[in-house]
Amino acid sequence: MIYLDNSATTQPFPEVLESFYKGSTDFFANPSSIHQLGSRSEKLLSEARKQAARYLNVNETEVVFTSGGTEGNNLAIKGAAFMHQTRGKHIITSQVEHPSVLEACRSLETLGYEVSYVKVNEEGRVNLEDIKEEIREDTILVSLMSVNNELGTIQPIEEVANLLSSYPKILFHVDHVQGLGKVPIDIGNRGIDLCTLSGHKIHGLKGTGALIAKQHVSLFPLFHGGGQEKAQRSGTENLPGTTAFVKALRLIEELHSKEAEQLQSLHDQLYSSLQQIEKVKLNSPINGAPHIVNFSVPGYKPEVIIHSLGEREIYISTKSACSSKQPEVSSVLQACHLDRERTTSALRVSLSYLTTREEITRFIAAFHEVLEELEETMGRSL
């Protein structure tokens, strides 16, 4: 089996599963309970928060554990919008954000907010001047992803943070779900106010993650109840999931420090191999994230290619998992002004630190076979 759909989700590390099991058995008590078992759980939760803060270079009071990327993005965007609506109701984002950002923004539009969706270039990158032009007196939030989930395009996060430093009333939210452990950003940077992270993209577990909310940021909570997570995310804490998430954070940081060059080398091997196939049109920029390569095969249905590769136990995807059941056109590629043939025939291969050179070689060989088989079938059907 060759798994190349790591941007959709990653295989959990064994150490992560061990951490979850230990948290579920030895620390099953509710951290809010006042008896001794509850206190043990609360102490473990506190230690997990300290460790997460250390790995992410933030203060422990700034870590809000969540159920993952969608919740983090919704809490950041709606929480900021509701809390600061007396200051203004204008938000800036881009046309190529994850659905959890775009749909959160569209839901706010139904409540009277205005959203500017900044255009991107052919590589899916925003222009700093375009963001600057959209800033108004009533702008309260700018939300951008660090790495595009379909293309792997790296956005100019540091430059935007520097720009917004001249606008202290505008919060800057970064959706760092795809970049975490692959394309590091300095979350401790004063220019980043909110940052979304997800566990299952870094070999953690689904249903885990965190929103980093800097100390000066106030959010209107989406959940009300027992006041957990500084009242920003009420609900009994998922202690086993949280400890598993923090374990994954530590392991992915270690892998990045040791294996970043190897991952980039695999990316370059894949990119170069695809570049040599006449039928393939590469959509990802060559200088994008090291784990995502998006390409189109005009004239071929991506679902058919994925099915044929799946029969060989090789797994890739069409676009993002959260958009894969939507209409056939990739809205991200459409926003990049690519023609319909490319927007309807896109495929995404996404790597991890567990991917090997042999797997890339076998994928390319199988991909050649599939294209030849489909070409023969299409020829017979004419």
Side-chain angles (χ1 to χ4, degrees):
M1 189 266 279
I2 298 176
Y3 183 72
L4 299 172
D5 193 18
N6 291 281
S7 285
T9 195
T10 49
Q11 184 176 4
F13 288 132
E15 296 92 331
V16 166
L17 295 173
E18 288 172 14
S19 179
F20 182 83
Y21 180 79
K22 188 175 178 60
S24 300
T25 52
D26 295 355
F27 297 89
F28 64 87
N30 192 323
S32 297
S33 296
I34 61 172
H35 51 62
Q36 290 87 340
L37 288 182
S39 296
R40 285 184 68 230
S41 295
E42 197 279 332
K43 187 176 179 182
L44 179 63
L45 181 65
S46 176
E47 183 56 34
R49 197 183 309 279
K50 289 178 183 174
Q51 289 184 18
R54 190 161 63 246
Y55 300 144
L56 298 168
N57 188 31
V58 297
N59 190 291
E60 62 186 90
T61 61
E62 298 172 333
V63 180
V64 180
F65 291 119
T66 66
S67 64
T70 294
E71 183 186 334
N73 284 339
N74 272 269
L75 177 57
I77 294 168
K78 294 178 186 173
F82 295 153
M83 181 59 74
H84 301 292
Q85 56 185 304
T86 55
R87 186 190 300 170
K89 287 191 169 185
H90 179 239
I91 295 168
I92 299 172
T93 188
S94 86
Q95 294 181 345
V96 295
E97 299 299 309
H98 187 270
S100 60
V101 168
L102 294 175
E103 292 305 317
C105 287
R106 286 170 186 142
S107 74
L108 288 171
E109 287 179 299
T110 67
L111 299 175
Y113 290 81
E114 290 184 65
V115 182
S116 297
Y117 300 92
V118 175
K119 294 179 180 177
V120 296
N121 64 15
E122 284 194 357
E123 295 184 339
R125 186 177 167 93
V126 297
N127 185 308
L128 197 63
E129 287 302 313
D130 290 341
I131 293 175
K132 190 174 182 179
E133 285 181 11
E134 294 293 344
I135 293 175
R136 312 185 328 202
E137 282 291 322
D138 60 342
T139 303
I140 54 173
L141 177 72
V142 174
S143 178
L144 288 178
M145 59 190 358
S146 61
V147 172
N148 185 268
N149 53 321
E150 288 193 35
L151 288 170
T153 306
I154 301 172
Q155 299 294 3
I157 297 301
E158 188 174 343
E159 291 89 333
V160 175
N162 289 337
L163 166 68
L164 295 178
S165 65
S166 300
Y167 303 88
K169 291 186 177 180
I170 301 177
L171 296 175
F172 184 29
H173 166 239
V174 178
D175 173 1
H176 194 40
V177 168
Q178 285 294 339
L180 182 61
K182 312 292 191 328
V183 181
I185 58 173
D186 183 5
I187 303 176
N189 185 321
R190 289 172 59 87
I192 297 176
D193 303 295
L194 295 151
C195 185
T196 300
L197 310 170
S198 175
H200 74 107
K201 308 292 190 183
I202 56 168
H203 304 279
L205 301 177
K206 298 172 187 66
T208 66
L211 175 69
I212 305 304
K214 295 294 182 59
Q215 288 178 314
H216 62 277
V217 176
S218 298
L219 297 174
F220 189 88
L222 302 186
F223 304 152
H224 295 87
Q228 290 90 347
E229 298 296 300
K230 295 191 303 176
Q232 293 186 324
R233 204 274 184 183
S234 286
T236 301
E237 297 94 339
N238 176 10
L239 181 58
T242 295
T243 56
F245 169 63
V246 176
K247 175 74 77 174
L249 264 182
R250 179 174 72 79
L251 294 173
I252 204 71
E253 289 296 310
E254 289 177 0
L255 276 173
H256 176 72
S257 64
K258 295 176 182 173
E259 306 289 344
E261 288 186 11
Q262 173 66 8
L263 184 62
Q264 184 65 53
S265 174
L266 293 179
H267 168 277
D268 295 346
Q269 176 193 352
L270 174 62
Y271 199 96
S272 174
S273 298
L274 290 170
Q275 212 166 20
Q276 294 170 29
I277 302 175
E278 191 177 350
K279 296 182 177 66
V280 167
K281 304 289 184 187
L282 280 156
N283 301 320
S284 291
I286 183 64
N287 59 350
H291 61 301
I292 298 176
V293 176
N294 185 300
F295 57 96
S296 296
V297 191
Y300 291 76
K301 288 187 176 180
E303 295 81 5
V304 176
I305 294 175
I306 286 175
H307 183 69
S308 297
L309 288 170
E311 289 177 345
R312 292 164 169 80
E313 295 192 329
I314 297 174
Y315 303 103
I316 66 172
S317 63
T318 48
K319 39 191 177 179
S320 76
C322 291
S323 305
S324 61
K325 295 181 180 177
Q326 301 302 315
E328 60 182 6
V329 174
S330 163
S331 59
V332 171
L333 299 188
Q334 203 171 35
C336 296
H337 313 292
L338 300 183
D339 61 48
R340 184 173 174 80
E341 275 202 319
R342 285 173 73 170
T343 61
T344 57
S345 63
L347 296 161
R348 181 184 68 178
V349 176
S350 47
L351 317 178
S352 80
Y353 290 111
L354 305 181
T355 306
T356 66
R357 193 169 297 282
E358 182 190 359
E359 288 177 329
I360 298 296
T361 301
R362 288 172 57 194
F363 160 69
I364 290 295
F367 184 56
H368 275 289
E369 288 177 11
V370 167
L371 290 186
E372 287 173 9
E373 287 177 6
L374 293 177
E375 191 171 11
E376 288 178 12
T377 304
M378 292 162 68
R380 285 198 299 271
S381 64
L382 290 176

